[in-house]
């Protein structure tokens, strides 16, 4: 059995997944629609504490300033 198998990684660590997310949002921030570069942040739409899964389709690409203002301090 795989009970002790570690859960999915909390962040999108693979470049491939980040690229998928980037392309899914057309290279633009999901909030302000600004063009993103490689420094974009992969944000969990559903907070990790509520639903601990890392799925590209449940994430959004945000620019750094949007992700920062969303995340609070
Ligand atoms: Zn933004």
């Amino acid at each position: 059995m795989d009970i002790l198998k570690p859960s999915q990684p909390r962040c999108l660590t693979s470049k491939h997944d980040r690229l998928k997310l980037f392309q899914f949002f057309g290279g633009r921030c999901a909030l302000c629609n600004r063009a993103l570069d490689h420094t974009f942040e992969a944000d969990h739409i559903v907070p990790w504490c509520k639903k601990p899964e890392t799925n590209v389709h449940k994430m959004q690409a945000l620019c750094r300033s949007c992700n920062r203002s969303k995340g609070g301090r």
Side-chain angles (χ1 to χ4, degrees), residues 8 12 21 44 48 53-60:
Q8 298 177 68
L12 282 185
L21 190 67
H44 288 265
W48 179 262
E53 62 182 357
T54 297
N55 183 327
V56 171
H57 301 293
K58 290 182 177 126
M59 301 188 74
Q60 56 189 354

Side-chain angles (χ1 to χ4, degrees), residues 29 31-34 62-63 65-66:
C29 172
L31 289 185
C32 70
N33 211 36
R34 195 184 304 171
L62 295 183
C63 68
S65 57
C66 279

